């Protein structure tokens, strides 16, 4: 048998060597940690489908934020769970809304962290849709001013970055111009390619945002489409977005890679609730090594092209990277 000249195994022999030639590495600064904030004090309510994830009251959210900061995580994304919901989602843009209060408290205690406000109405509407509803349909243009109001009120409360996740057409432009009118120059991280996905199930339990009728296929993207993702990304950048996101991450790694090839802005990917829940469920059953999967999954998302990864695993991943 001929001697194989090419032996890739030569560079796999020891951990030191493997570390030297590793193409993709994770750091805590890659992560954005999602936090769910609710009314109350001293609360830390577990979410059944997402072991390790909680609904926090503002005071305990601040404690969790300090832990994240101490682990080197640079940013949080906030989701509000209001005490009251109505058809217009008015708690989303109330001066003293739950997210606005959380932003002020966090800015005070962890001023060095980047606070990202998820801008969408679904957690705040009684029907659970991401926009206002008339004649049984989510109304695009009537929703835009409400999203813009929410964005401005979050920025005024201390949000460093605005992240619209609603998938209404023209929302980035509406938010950009409302911010400008309020003399704010806040960066926008657009959920540009957000798919209508079964992987959001556990989030909807956490945020109590399951649509009361129908589903989100009329505004979120069809899972079969990738060229359309590039179109959404291009539109959001034209309208004034500074960064773009692909969501979910794992079933859409090809989309992340294609977007990354096309744009010159940072690309984020959302390692969503269902992706998290699957790992936790399998690990609890002893079917997989959870810690190992977490790092492998996050590495794959970064390797696909994500510069930033939104993940419920952020704290545990930062701890694993430290050991
Ligand atoms: C709100 C929003 C959702 C997620 C982030 N922002 C839910 C949805 O669109 O139904 C999902 C995040 C996750 O599953 O972790 N529009």
């Amino acid at each position: 048998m001929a001697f194989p000249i090419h032996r890739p195994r030569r560079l796999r022999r020891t951990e030191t060597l493997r570390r030297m030639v590793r193409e993709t590495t994770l750091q805590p600064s890659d992560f954005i940690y999602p936090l769910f904030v609710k009314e109350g004090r001293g609360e830390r309510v577990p979410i059944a489908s997402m072991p390790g994830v909680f609904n926090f009251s503002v005071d305990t959210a601040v404690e969790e934020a300090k832990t994240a900061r101490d682990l080197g995580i640079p940013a949080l994304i906030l989701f509000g769970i209001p005490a009251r919901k109505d058809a217009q989602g008015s708690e989303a843009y109330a001066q003293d809304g739950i997210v606005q209060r959380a932003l002020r408290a966090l800015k005070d205690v962890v001023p060095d962290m980047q606070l990202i406000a998820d801008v969408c109405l679904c957690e705040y509407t009684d029907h659970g849709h991401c926009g206002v509803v008339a004649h049984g349909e989510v109304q695009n243009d009537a929703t835009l001013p409400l999203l813009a109001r929410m964005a401005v009120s979050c920025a005024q409360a201390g949000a460093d970055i605005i992240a619209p996740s609603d998938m209404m057409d023209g929302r980035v432009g509406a938010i950009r111009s409302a911010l400008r009118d309020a003399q704010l120059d806040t960066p926008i991280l657009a959920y540009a390619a957000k798919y209508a996905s079964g992987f959001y199930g556990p989030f909807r339990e956490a945020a109590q945002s399951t649509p009361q009728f129908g589903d989100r296929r009329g505004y979120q993207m069809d899972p079969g489409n990738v060229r359309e993702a590039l179109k959404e990304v291009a539109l959001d950048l034209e309208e004034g977005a500074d960064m773009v996101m692909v969501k979910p991450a794992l079933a859409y790694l090809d989309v992340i890679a294609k977007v990354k090839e096309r744009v010159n802005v940072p690309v984020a990917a959302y390692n969503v609730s269902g992706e998290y829940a699957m790992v936790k469920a399998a690990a609890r059953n002893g079917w997989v090594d959870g810690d190992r999967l977490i790092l492998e999954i996050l590495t794959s998302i970064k390797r696909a092209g994500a510069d930033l990864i939104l993940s419920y695993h952020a704290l545990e991943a930062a701890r694993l990277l430290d050991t």
Side-chain angles (χ1 to χ4, degrees):
M1 198 178 73
F3 178 73
I5 302 279
H6 300 289
R7 288 179 185 266
R9 287 187 53 188
R10 285 181 199 122
L11 299 183
R12 295 178 196 148
R13 205 159 288 145
T14 71
E15 177 51 24
T16 307
L17 191 49
R18 290 191 292 270
R19 189 149 57 88
M20 287 169 66
V21 300
R22 188 163 294 143
E23 298 171 42
T24 307
T25 56
L26 292 169
Q27 283 128 242
S29 60
D30 298 327
F31 306 138
I32 296 170
Y33 185 46
L35 280 186
F36 298 100
V37 193
K38 65 187 279 298
E39 302 288 344
R41 267 195 72 76
E43 293 200 49
R44 204 182 147 90
V45 184
I47 294 150
S49 54
M50 299 175 76
V53 177
F54 302 87
N55 283 348
F56 295 101
S57 47
V58 172
D59 56 328
T60 56
V62 165
E63 291 312 306
E64 185 78 353
K66 286 194 220 158
T67 306
R69 176 202 55 197
D70 295 345
L71 285 164
I73 291 160
L76 305 170
I77 183 161
L78 299 183
F79 298 95
I81 304 153
R84 278 188 314 109
K85 303 189 188 221
D86 59 31
Q88 306 289 313
S90 47
E91 282 295 299
Y93 37 88
Q95 267 267 327
D96 62 345
I98 183 66
V99 160
Q100 288 79 357
R101 273 181 286 134
L103 284 164
R104 282 188 216 105
L106 288 164
K107 198 76 276 184
D108 214 38
V109 182
V110 289
D112 43 338
M113 288 191 100
Q114 288 288 297
L115 304 181
I116 306 176
D118 179 273
V119 165
C120 187
L121 298 185
C122 67
E123 297 121 74
Y124 305 91
T125 51
D126 49 14
H127 46 70
H129 276 290
C130 302
V132 290
V133 173
H135 321 296
E137 267 200 53
V138 176
Q139 302 294 310
N140 194 87
D141 296 12
T143 301
L144 300 182
L146 303 184
L147 295 168
R149 245 173 103 179
M150 181 181 184
V152 170
S153 96
C154 287
Q156 285 170 339
D160 300 293
I161 298 172
I162 295 298
S165 68
D166 53 283
M167 289 303 276
M168 297 302 120
D169 293 328
R171 91 274 207 213
V172 172
I175 289 170
R176 178 51 75 216
S177 77
L179 288 170
R180 195 194 314 113
D181 292 345
Q183 265 140 61
L184 292 161
D185 210 16
T186 314
I188 296 174
L189 164 58
Y191 285 72
K194 177 174 177 178
Y195 288 86
S197 172
F199 287 98
Y200 306 150
F203 174 95
R204 293 180 188 169
E205 181 201 341
Q208 297 154 26
S209 64
T210 306
Q212 298 305 301
F213 66 91
D215 56 40
R216 303 208 204 290
R217 285 175 232 236
Y219 41 104
Q220 298 181 347
M221 282 183 54
D222 190 278
N225 294 357
V226 62
R227 288 183 302 145
E228 189 190 9
L230 301 176
K231 174 179 173 173
E232 284 281 9
V233 163
L235 287 173
D236 285 357
L237 290 175
E238 239 169 72
E239 291 176 29
D242 300 278
M243 301 183 267
V244 292
M245 193 195 301
V246 174
K247 177 187 171 192
L250 279 187
Y252 300 87
L253 293 175
D254 59 321
V255 181
I256 298 172
K258 290 226 165 72
V259 168
K260 183 59 175 270
E261 271 170 28
R262 297 292 172 95
V263 302
N264 299 315
V265 297
V267 175
Y270 203 140
N271 176 214
V272 300
S273 57
E275 298 170 359
Y276 177 90
M278 290 196 303
V279 171
K280 291 293 170 187
R284 280 196 162 185
N285 275 300
W287 294 338
V288 297
D289 175 344
D291 289 351
R292 199 168 160 187
L293 249 61
I294 290 166
L295 294 181
E296 188 172 336
I297 285 171
L298 294 171
T299 299
S300 77
I301 297 169
K302 190 166 177 189
R303 192 190 62 233
D307 301 292
L308 299 163
I309 305 170
L310 296 87
S311 180
Y312 306 98
H313 292 300
L315 297 198
E316 47 187 348
R319 286 194 191 101
L320 290 169
L321 292 170
D322 200 36
T323 53

